[in-house]
């Protein structure tokens, strides 16, 4: 059993910051690539940022320079530090991970989603 458990969402004012966390739990052998996606109201889900196990990162142009993705392999956790937030960042944020379970089978998992709301 593998689950991705998200936390850190909430309501902030424009210009504020939030840090999202997502931990892989259960029968986890190794967590490979991880990422964050978001889905604004009425919009399609979009990629926000990704990070490899070794720490190589990529960002959507809309968040580059404001968001930072990082990970702690010992804690099997990925983070998204979100600074200079704007109302356009309002969305449900989902974490994603490629996980090798204890049976050595790799699958892609999704977190439950966490709401981020940025007020004007």
């Amino acid at each position: 059993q593998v689950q991705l458990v998200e936390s850190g969402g909430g309501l902030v004012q424009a210009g504020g910051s939030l840090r999202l966390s997502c931990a892989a739990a259960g029968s986890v052998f190794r967590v490979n690539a991880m990422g964050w996606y978001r889905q604004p109201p009425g919009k399609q889900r979009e990629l926000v940022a990704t990070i490899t196990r070794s720490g190589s990162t990529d960002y959507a142009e809309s968040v580059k320079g404001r968001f930072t993705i990082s990970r702690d392999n010992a804690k099997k956790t990925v983070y998204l530090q979100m600074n200079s937030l704007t109302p356009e960042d309002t969305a449900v944020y989902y974490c994603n991970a490629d996980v090798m379970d204890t049976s050595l089978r790799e699958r892609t998992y999704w977190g439950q989603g966490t709401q981020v709301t940025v007020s004007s």
Side-chain angles (χ1 to χ4, degrees), residues 6-26:
E6 300 182 29
S7 63
L11 174 64
V12 297
Q13 293 184 315
S17 298
L18 285 173
R19 190 178 76 156
L20 307 182
S21 299
C22 175

Side-chain angles (χ1 to χ4, degrees), residues 1-4 24-29 99-102 107 109-110:
Q1 304 289 333
V2 174
Q3 307 87 37
L4 301 183
S27 302
V28 178
F29 178 74
V99 178
M100 182 79 74
D101 64 22
T102 53
R107 294 180 60 189
Y109 294 87
W110 291 90

Side-chain angles (χ1 to χ4, degrees), residues 4-105:
L4 301 183
V5 182
E6 300 182 29
S7 63
L11 174 64
V12 297
Q13 293 184 315
S17 298
L18 285 173
R19 190 178 76 156
L20 307 182
S21 299
C22 175
S27 302
V28 178
F29 178 74
R30 193 173 82 166
V31 182
N32 295 317
M34 306 185 81
W36 290 94
Y37 292 71
R38 68 185 182 186
Q39 187 165 20
K43 305 288 182 59
Q44 297 185 53
R45 187 176 298 186
E46 65 182 11
L47 180 66
V48 175
T50 61
I51 185 167
T52 68
R53 183 172 176 83
S54 61
S56 180
T57 60
D58 284 296
Y59 297 91
E61 288 297 322
S62 60
V63 307
K64 193 172 297 182
R66 299 187 298 122
F67 292 8
T68 302
I69 189 171
S70 61
R71 64 189 292 165
D72 184 329
N73 289 338
K75 295 181 178 179
K76 297 176 288 187
T77 299
V78 63
Y79 306 94
L80 187 68
Q81 179 66 47
M82 309 165 67
N83 298 327
S84 301
L85 286 162
T86 75
E88 289 69 44
D89 296 315
T90 295
V92 178
Y93 284 70
Y94 298 90
C95 66
N96 170 278
D98 295 330
V99 178
M100 182 79 74
D101 64 22
T102 53
S103 297
L104 304 184
R105 178 179 178 178

